[in-house]
Amino acid sequence: MAEPRWSKIGRDLLAHKIRTLLTVLSIAIGVFAILVVIGGRGMLVESFDSNFPRSVPANATLYTSDFGEELVRAVARQPGVRAADGRRSTVMRFRLGDLRGVEEPPAGVTVAERSRSIEIVSAGDWASSEVERAFADEGVPWPPGPGEVVIERSATQEVDIAQGDSITVDAGDGELRVLRVVGFAHDINAFPAMFSGRLRGFVSMGELTDLRQPEAYNQLVVSMDRADLTRDEASRFAAHLRDDVLAPRGVAVYGMNVPKPNSHFLGDIFRAVALLLLALGIMALLLSGFLVVNTVSALVTQQVRQVGVMKAIGGRSSQIMWMYLALVAAYGVLALLVGLPTGGWWAGWFARFGGGLLNFGDAPATAPGYAIALAIAVGLLVPLAAAYFPIRTGTRISVVNALTRTGMSSAKFGHGFIDRVLGLVRGLPRPVALGLRNTFLRKGRLVMTLVTLTLASTVVMSVMSVRSSMLKTVDDVAAWWSYDVEVSYQQPVNRAAVEREILSTPGVTGAESWILHGASLARPDGSENDAPSVIGLPPASTFIKPRLVEGRWLRPGDVGLVVINTDIANDEGLRIGDTRTFTVRGRELEWRVVGIVQGQMMGSLVFTDREYLSRALGEEGAVGRTVVRTTDTSDAGQRLAGDRLEARLKSAGFVVSGVRTQRGMSTTLANELGILVTFLIVMAVILAAVGIIGLSGTMIINVLESTREIGVMRAVGASHGSIFQVFVTEGVVIGVLSWAFGAVFTYPVSLGLVLLLEKAITIPLSYEFSWSGVLAWLLVVAGISAVASLLPAFRASQVSVRDAIAYE
Amino acid sequence: MHASVHRSLEGTHEHVARRSHGRPLIELSSLVKVYDTGEVPFTALKGIDLVVDEGEFVGLIGKSGSGKTTLINMITGIDRPSSGQVVVDGTPVHALGENALAAWRGRTIGVVFQFFQLLPTLTVVENVMLPMDFCNVHAVRERESYAMALLEQVEMVDQAHKLPAALSGGQQQRVAIARALANDPPILAADEPTGNLDSTTAEAVFGLFEKLVRQGKTIVMVTHDDDLAARVTRALHVRDGEIVEETRSPLKGSGQGHG
Ligand SMILES: Nc1ncnc2c1ncn2[C@@H]1O[C@H](COP(=O)(O)OP(=O)(O)OP(=O)(O)O)[C@@H](O)[C@H]1O
Ligand SMILES: [Mg+2]
């Protein structure tokens, strides 16, 4: 038999099952949050750290005219180059299934048969590729054999595609080719399909002839030796390759991409999410600490007489303090039993989910040891730290004081300001008035509970505002582009010819064609910015609604004058009147900035007059994209129009590389932002759960402490129903108060969150306060707090006069 | 095991009984207690001088509010005097720190309360073992048999594994007495131990006290019951914080009395 003082701990745990449950749950939530946040993040980082360097990310990618293996070897021999590889990449249209000999389905009949874009990539030998390596799953032929394609894993985010399926590719010559999907590969450097809206398929070089492509590379990926390479150095080196290695061999460079060395393009989003989650973890921890303080101080107060008796029969303060600390530690251990497995599971889920979204690759099976150790520490230390002072105070009480406590609550009523205000509220039903009075009776606990619920309410309502801000951002971005469908071509096409086809397609009300190319901007220090795209369009275009920040928009007849967006203006410190040299399709062009427009999620853009640009490039009449307005602007309508346009252009012999609808693009953007919102919602839900557990815990304690009063009320004739009403009122009042306080904080907190996200993902976001979110939460919180008080209120209503008298 | 413990308790009784009216065990001098919680300070004890010898059965009698509880709390160290001295079994109680006091009390004085005050989540026998646990008396494995022996003395062995809530008031008080005896203290202090019991049950509890006195314990008890007050060896009448009258009589009932 255990020593009785330790038995007492176990019995006390069992004697108050609901209180134990609530306390354990509130600690478990802290453990859970820490494990999911720190552990899940750690698992993601682990998978990233093992998969990203293993892929040997490129320090520079050059988009070029055709070249062969000997150039790759020449580049690889350059001092400072660790490895170089050639690739051929073409974007094609495909449909799922083997559609050879199948009648062309009427456009838009079934969504499943709509065509999509796939980037077909081939390398000399995928298995021995040394830069931006992709890794095929177990048992998948690598490199793929003739007639075979291996699909990048993230495709499953977008399309229902499996091993053994076939895809029918349109190589642009009017003949369809079927590729068999022999499995999946992971390419950490590929933009996940969910964001790019297109798939990536790996084929062997030999397959290219069959796809009507020259058996030559058009991309050069280069990895450098030095680990401490800066972006500028990499950029200068890429320019050196272009000018001194590729140009002498007659290879033209159309564009370059030099990422920040050793950083992943989704790193910013990942960091933003990790930051938010960390904030969530810390907040959940804080709140669970509050709840522990609340429960433990109530417990010690409730047992004050037992403390007195134990001291009277020889218990020292320290012995008694250890008993209660052991009780709290027992709560902690129970919480760990709940929190560790669930937290571990969800950390794994989170790592898989996040890893899938970000395409980081396989996550390790378990959370890292430090995260588990931290979670254990949190489960034991946070409650002990939170409980230490209430317990110390409670067990140091003198024996006389402890023994002469009556058990009636000693809180004073009738003095404070709030009490007087409440006294003025007349005409309320008696139980409701009593419920109100009770709410303010136990002020310390009320404050703790309110803080907890207010924090939760603030986060919930702020998340609603962040969500509406994200939606507004999507709308604002969409508002820029005043068209329904955009069609891109594999090669520049003749404007008059395509527009004739497009305008005679049913459902099309207007069309305009643009020139679209990558451009590279030479910096004074010799490095280059290859991020910008240049768009040549008619100055009077009504298909775009630019928001002018400074200067003027394009005018017909402008020569060598451009309008840039804020992205490039900020990156390069460009002002109105500045002149810079841009390289477009191998030609150096001097451009002067006459206007700056607001950039919005489309990267660095330079706008110029279409006629001027086509002349300057010597490609008169050639365009790369047509933007189209349609009669039906709904999602389905735009897709239908897209399908019709594609079919029409194909039959007229144009090779279409992509068809995107305005709503589809909004969805892609919304998806990207949606990840953040999803994580925020998870965060809000967890905090709301903590708040609700806190509220029910408080109500349970209140009922316990009021047992005697309830008995007295019953003795003087209060009905079960009215006692019930007293406690439900109390709960709802607390809930609604937390809503009111939370609503006050919602504006600054949500604005702060939006600004934080904006910084983290380097995308300008719009802000919109969500009134509907605030109203909705009022209803929800009132409902939830009513529900949270049901059980305590029911227990209260069941208190009999006899219980109250027997109660010690 | 029970039997041997029992024998050792009986042995103690014979040994102590031979030197009844031995040395002074409780010595109060110029004891003053002032409560200053009210609007004006209230003097509840006004300079009490009292010596209780080993083996005495002392009853504190007086009207409500006269200061009985205050006085007995001074002896047990539950409360502290404003001035004056409390020396119990050679220990200056008023000078002990909180922790030393608790440990000292656990071994020296068994306290019995009016409302029994058993811990509700511990069984009867665990309640009795609790003081041994706190004061580390007896080897851990032997504590239960000692506790059972004590319960046998108060005729509660059958209920040993029940929770207090399942017992009647008289039964709970007998368990509380067994708990007070757990560390074999020389002194028992009881504030109205029969105040919550009917007369028959009160009689049984009082009988138990008489038996303990014959075994050599020194008992200080507050009571309202005149019949019981008449049966203690030394009745102290308290009025307005002073001992105003004292009556001595031999211990009645079976066994040796004291004269
Ligand atoms: N904590 C306190 N603060 C102020 N006054 C007190 C306190 N405790 C007791 N008193 C006062 O001291 C006096 C003696 O109280 P005490 O409890 O000793 O009386 P008592 O003789 O035990 O009475 P009863 O028979 O009713 O138990 C009373 O007048 C009481 O009002
Ligand atoms: Mg009293």
Side-chain angles (χ1 to χ4, degrees):
Chain A
M1 184 192 244
E3 295 170 52
R5 61 182 142 136
W6 304 125
S7 308
K8 179 176 174 351
I9 303 305
R11 306 284 170 66
D12 283 354
L13 280 173
L14 291 176
H16 302 279
K17 291 194 188 64
I18 293 190
R19 180 175 60 199
T20 303
L21 186 75
L22 288 171
T23 315
V24 165
L25 275 184
S26 54
I27 302 170
I29 285 184
V31 172
F32 174 87
I34 284 299
L35 195 54
V36 172
V37 170
I38 310 276
R41 188 185 160 280
M43 288 160 84
L44 269 180
V45 168
E46 246 174 71
S47 72
F48 179 78
D49 283 350
S50 74
N51 289 328
F52 189 56
R54 191 169 73 119
S55 77
V56 192
N59 290 109
T61 305
L62 280 68
Y63 306 94
T64 64
S65 59
D66 296 353
F67 65 93
E69 201 56 58
E70 69 290 0
L71 178 79
V72 176
R73 281 194 297 270
V75 170
R77 277 196 306 271
Q78 291 288 313
V81 171
R82 176 177 164 198
D85 243 334
R87 298 267 196 277
R88 175 138 207 121
S89 154
T90 341
V91 177
M92 293 180 179
R93 300 292 281 175
F94 80 96
R95 281 172 294 165
L96 287 176
D98 181 348
L99 298 178
R100 277 173 307 187
V102 176
E103 268 292 297
E104 191 74 9
V109 165
T110 50
V111 173
E113 284 183 321
R114 287 189 54 241
S115 23
R116 296 168 176 278
S117 295
I118 184 168
E119 183 191 9
I120 298 280
V121 205
S122 43
D125 177 8
W126 282 111
S128 65
S129 136
E130 287 179 282
V131 185
E132 297 213 335
R133 304 174 65 195
F135 296 90
D137 292 352
E138 278 288 310
V140 172
W142 195 240
E148 294 177 344
V149 63
V150 172
I151 302 286
E152 208 290 316
R153 196 185 275 180
S154 68
T156 47
Q157 295 171 345
E158 273 291 290
V159 199
D160 190 14
I161 192 167
Q163 188 167 7
D165 286 353
S166 293
I167 59 171
T168 304
V169 181
D170 184 350
D173 61 350
E175 222 181 299
L176 300 176
R177 275 168 198 78
V178 172
L179 292 170
R180 204 153 44 78
V181 177
V182 288
F184 293 91
H186 177 226
D187 181 355
I188 198 168
N189 295 293
F191 228 97
M194 186 185 180
F195 301 129
S196 66
R198 74 180 179 211
L199 278 51
R200 192 175 171 95
F202 306 95
V203 298
S204 62
M205 279 308 273
E207 199 57 30
L208 290 173
T209 345
D210 205 30
L211 292 169
R212 293 289 178 275
Q213 292 285 319
E215 218 175 304
Y217 302 128
N218 62 0
Q219 270 180 25
L220 178 69
V221 283
V222 181
S223 156
M224 312 281 291
D225 271 335
R226 272 172 50 213
D228 61 343
L229 194 76
T230 66
R231 192 178 194 166
D232 280 351
E233 287 168 337
S235 173
R236 269 196 294 277
F237 188 78
H240 154 71
L241 284 181
R242 179 193 60 200
D243 300 338
D244 307 330
V245 183
L246 274 66
R249 287 173 172 79
V251 177
V253 173
Y254 302 130
M256 297 197 290
N257 177 30
V258 178
K260 208 167 115 219
N262 302 317
S263 78
H264 191 260
F265 47 86
L266 289 174
D268 288 339
I269 289 199
F270 173 60
R271 261 189 299 281
V273 168
L275 197 72
L276 283 176
L277 288 173
L278 197 66
L280 151 75
I282 290 172
M283 230 190 273
L285 207 62
L286 214 75
L287 295 191
S288 91
F290 274 175
L291 297 188
V292 172
V293 172
N294 248 1
T295 347
V296 170
S297 38
L299 179 116
V300 177
T301 317
Q302 204 194 331
Q303 295 211 343
V304 65
R305 196 187 288 252
Q306 294 193 33
V307 170
V309 172
M310 287 189 284
K311 288 185 146 192
I313 62 173
R316 277 178 276 126
S317 295
S318 58
Q319 286 176 321
I320 297 168
M321 193 165 106
W322 277 112
M323 287 172 67
Y324 286 94
L325 287 176
L327 180 70
V328 173
Y331 285 141
V333 169
L334 288 176
L336 286 176
L337 290 181
V338 178
L340 284 182
T342 50
W345 196 88
W346 280 101
W349 177 87
F350 168 71
R352 277 191 305 279
F353 176 73
L357 281 184
L358 304 169
N359 205 26
F360 280 0
D362 297 328
T366 49
Y370 67 85
I372 296 175
L374 187 68
I376 292 176
V378 156
L380 290 176
L381 297 184
V382 167
L384 283 176
Y388 179 76
F389 284 101
I391 288 180
R392 204 176 109 108
T393 319
T395 53
R396 291 224 167 161
I397 186 171
S398 78
V399 187
V400 240
N401 279 343
L403 290 175
T404 50
R405 283 279 171 90
T406 56
M408 283 272 201
S409 75
S410 54
K412 304 274 185 291
F413 186 77
H415 295 298
F417 169 74
I418 296 172
D419 308 343
R420 258 177 288 141
V421 170
L422 281 178
L424 294 176
V425 184
R426 280 162 214 276
L428 286 172
R430 186 65 44 89
V432 174
L434 210 56
L436 282 175
R437 201 200 76 140
N438 271 352
T439 309
F440 295 98
L441 202 58
R442 291 162 282 251
K443 292 197 183 82
R445 191 172 313 137
L446 174 68
V447 167
M448 289 279 209
T449 314
L450 264 181
V451 167
T452 312
L453 263 183
T454 300
L455 264 173
S457 293
T458 307
V459 171
V460 170
M461 289 187 282
S462 300
V463 166
M464 305 292 265
S465 281
V466 170
R467 189 176 162 274
S468 62
S469 301
M470 297 290 189
L471 292 177
K472 180 153 194 298
T473 305
V474 173
D475 283 350
D476 285 355
V477 169
W480 250 88
W481 310 105
S482 185
Y483 57 78
D484 299 295
V485 183
E486 71 177 41
V487 183
S488 308
Y489 312 104
Q490 215 176 43
Q491 297 296 322
V493 297
N494 183 273
R495 179 160 70 87
V498 280
E499 286 186 359
R500 207 170 32 245
E501 288 302 325
I502 287 173
L503 286 169
S504 60
T505 307
V508 171
T509 57
E512 183 176 283
S513 299
W514 296 347
I515 301 171
L516 192 75
H517 290 301
S520 149
L521 166 66
R523 295 199 184 97
D525 67 354
S527 71
E528 289 182 26
N529 179 356
D530 42 54
S533 296
V534 57
I535 294 181
L537 74 179
S541 174
T542 56
F543 288 75
I544 183 171
K545 288 187 185 141
R547 286 223 310 273
L548 208 58
V549 176
E550 224 187 317
R552 66 164 177 87
W553 183 242
L554 301 170
R555 284 184 200 142
D558 278 352
V559 170
L561 303 182
V562 295
V563 171
I564 58 173
N565 71 356
T566 45
D567 292 48
I568 179 168
N570 294 340
D571 283 353
E572 299 297 327
L574 287 177
R575 304 260 188 82
I576 303 282
D578 286 352
T579 300
R580 286 283 186 285
T581 304
F582 287 79
T583 309
V584 184
R585 279 177 87 71
R587 291 181 191 238
E588 295 195 354
L589 302 168
E590 288 258 308
W591 284 344
R592 188 158 61 83
V593 177
V594 292
I596 297 176
V597 292
Q598 180 63 51
Q600 208 139 27
M601 304 200 68
M602 49 213 158
S604 296
L605 284 184
V606 179
F607 299 91
T608 188
D609 176 34
R610 184 175 68 191
E611 305 316 320
Y612 154 72
L613 186 61
S614 64
R615 262 180 284 120
L617 294 176
E619 296 177 344
E620 249 162 296
V623 292
R625 171 179 291 177
T626 306
V627 292
V628 178
R629 280 201 203 112
T630 59
T631 37
D632 184 353
T633 60
S634 69
D635 188 27
Q638 290 185 343
R639 286 203 220 178
L640 181 63
D643 286 355
R644 282 188 182 141
L645 283 167
E646 186 168 2
R648 176 94 186 198
L649 287 166
K650 210 165 75 177
S651 62
F654 294 102
V655 183
V656 172
S657 67
V659 175
R660 295 204 293 173
T661 64
Q662 195 54 254
R663 291 192 192 269
M665 288 188 275
S666 293
T667 309
T668 305
L669 175 55
N671 280 343
E672 205 165 330
L673 297 177
I675 296 181
L676 295 172
V677 175
T678 304
F679 282 116
L680 282 169
I681 286 173
V682 170
M683 164 171 170
V685 166
I686 291 186
L687 287 182
V690 178
I692 298 309
I693 289 178
L695 179 62
S696 346
T698 300
M699 295 303 300
I700 295 262
I701 296 166
N702 286 353
V703 169
L704 272 174
E705 283 188 1
S706 316
T707 304
R708 198 165 283 209
E709 281 106 325
I710 296 168
V712 173
M713 273 157 49
R714 298 276 297 132
V716 299
S719 68
H720 288 296
S722 53
I723 304 266
F724 189 79
Q725 231 182 313
V726 169
F727 284 93
V728 173
T729 305
E730 190 178 339
V732 172
V733 166
I734 296 177
V736 170
L737 275 177
S738 80
W739 167 82
F741 291 132
V744 174
F745 297 126
T746 297
Y747 178 73
V749 169
S750 58
L751 190 63
L753 270 176
V754 168
L755 290 176
L756 188 83
L757 288 176
E758 197 167 48
K759 251 206 157 76
I761 62 181
T762 56
I763 287 174
L765 299 173
S766 316
Y767 178 79
E768 187 166 87
F769 186 80
S770 169
W771 287 104
S772 57
V774 170
L775 283 179
W777 181 245
L778 171 61
L779 298 182
V780 172
V781 82
I784 292 182
S785 24
V787 172
S789 346
L790 285 183
L791 180 69
F794 175 74
R795 294 197 128 205
S797 71
Q798 296 312 105
V799 168
S800 68
V801 180
R802 202 172 32 108
D803 290 337
I805 292 165
Y807 176 76
E808 277 296 350
Chain B
M1 194 68 197
H2 294 181
S4 78
V5 174
H6 200 75
R7 258 200 313 281
S8 88
L9 287 168
E10 291 294 321
T12 316
H13 138 227
E14 275 162 29
H15 164 72
V16 175
R18 246 179 277 123
R19 39 180 211 94
S20 64
H21 272 230
R23 59 196 176 97
L25 200 54
I26 303 170
E27 295 164 86
L28 309 180
S29 45
S30 325
L31 199 64
V32 174
K33 176 68 184 178
V34 182
Y35 288 116
D36 41 22
T37 42
E39 308 253 300
V40 281
F42 177 83
T43 308
L45 297 178
K46 301 172 177 166
I48 304 264
D49 292 299
L50 174 70
V51 177
V52 175
D53 288 339
E54 200 168 13
E56 278 192 302
F57 188 1
V58 177
L60 294 173
I61 309 157
K63 282 194 303 190
S64 181
S66 55
K68 308 180 295 292
T69 296
T70 309
L71 180 56
I72 201 166
N73 282 350
M74 296 296 132
I75 297 171
T76 55
I78 282 177
D79 204 356
R80 290 177 182 282
S82 306
S83 68
Q85 295 191 329
V86 182
V87 179
V88 178
D89 199 13
T91 306
V93 178
H94 57 275
L96 289 183
E98 184 73 22
N99 279 330
L101 190 63
W104 167 84
R105 188 191 307 117
R107 287 167 177 272
T108 319
I109 304 189
V111 184
V112 179
F113 304 94
Q114 180 179 352
F115 292 100
F116 329 131
Q117 308 284 17
L118 298 176
L119 298 192
T121 51
L122 291 182
T123 62
V124 162
V125 65
E126 286 170 333
N127 263 285
V128 177
M129 286 158 68
L130 193 56
M132 307 178 192
D133 187 5
F134 279 135
C135 298
N136 204 13
V137 171
H138 304 307
V140 176
R141 260 177 285 119
E142 289 167 16
R143 285 179 193 158
E144 189 172 359
S145 34
Y146 276 100
M148 292 305 279
L150 288 166
L151 286 173
E152 199 173 301
Q153 267 206 307
V154 298
E155 290 166 24
M156 287 297 297
V157 178
D158 295 345
Q159 327 280 343
H161 298 291
K162 287 187 179 172
L163 287 175
L167 303 183
S168 73
Q171 290 173 321
Q172 288 190 44
Q173 194 60 304
R174 278 186 278 157
V175 175
I177 292 168
R179 181 178 67 183
L181 295 170
N183 293 340
D184 197 18
I187 304 167
L188 277 194
D191 191 351
E192 300 190 43
T194 59
N196 246 20
L197 304 174
D198 64 70
S199 54
T200 330
T201 319
E203 173 58 37
V205 168
F206 192 81
L208 201 54
F209 279 166
E210 286 178 322
K211 189 169 123 195
L212 288 167
V213 172
R214 276 193 300 274
Q215 287 172 10
K217 298 287 183 205
T218 307
I219 297 184
V220 181
M221 179 182 96
V222 173
T223 185
H224 268 117
D225 187 326
D226 289 340
D227 290 345
L228 297 181
R231 288 161 57 185
V232 296
T233 60
R234 186 177 173 196
L236 300 171
H237 297 259
V238 183
R239 188 188 300 151
D240 294 337
E242 285 169 308
I243 296 173
V244 291
E245 198 188 326
E246 177 171 343
T247 35
R248 285 177 186 263
S249 49
L251 190 63
K252 296 183 181 70
S254 55
Q256 313 108 294
H258 305 279

